[in-house]
Amino acid sequence: MADVDPKVIKRAIAGDPAAFEVILRAYQHRVYALAYRMVYDAELARDITQDVFLRLYQRMDRYDPSRPFEPWFFTLATHYTLNARQKALLRRTQSLDA
């Protein structure tokens, strides 16, 4: 399990790109594994992983540093993956009907 120092997370919230990269490297494989287990598609899981980290970057200011980071982040990742999976299923269904 990756455990990122809370000081690094605070620096990432403040906009430090090096700190954000530490977070990305610590969690990218776990986010990919989560996405892959939910969508069973390697290409889609890679896209979701990139999008999750983009979403994290955009929403770091919403994180409350007094609470644990991992549960907050993986909730964000799970919700994004569920939404992406639903969109992918709708696209497949629509293309079959056409």
Side-chain angles (χ1 to χ4, degrees), residues 39 44 48 51 79-89 91:
V39 299
L44 181 56
I48 288 170
D51 291 344
H79 288 179
Y80 187 87
T81 303
L82 288 170
N83 290 337
R85 181 178 71 179
Q86 186 64 31
K87 287 178 188 175
L89 289 173
R91 278 193 299 269

Side-chain angles (χ1 to χ4, degrees), residues 34-47:
L34 169 83
Y36 185 79
R37 283 191 311 269
M38 293 176 78
V39 299
Y40 298 107
D41 180 324
E43 186 74 25
L44 181 56
R46 280 191 291 274
D47 290 344

Side-chain angles (χ1 to χ4, degrees), residues 26-88:
Y27 293 109
Q28 66 184 350
H29 295 294
R30 289 180 56 201
V31 171
Y32 174 80
L34 169 83
Y36 185 79
R37 283 191 311 269
M38 293 176 78
V39 299
Y40 298 107
D41 180 324
E43 186 74 25
L44 181 56
R46 280 191 291 274
D47 290 344
I48 288 170
T49 301
Q50 288 181 346
D51 291 344
V52 163
F53 282 100
L54 176 60
R55 179 72 48 102
L56 174 65
Y57 186 79
Q58 294 168 337
R59 296 183 179 203
M60 282 298 290
D61 62 334
R62 296 183 183 182
Y63 170 65
D64 177 2
S66 70
R67 302 182 60 108
F69 177 75
E70 279 191 26
W72 176 82
F73 174 56
F74 280 99
T75 298
L76 180 145
T78 300
H79 288 179
Y80 187 87
T81 303
L82 288 170
N83 290 337
R85 181 178 71 179
Q86 186 64 31
K87 287 178 188 175

Side-chain angles (χ1 to χ4, degrees), residues 7-25:
K7 292 176 186 176
V8 172
I9 294 170
K10 287 180 183 177
R11 287 188 3 239
I13 292 169
D16 181 350
F20 187 80
E21 186 172 344
V22 169
I23 294 169
L24 184 137
R25 292 189 187 281

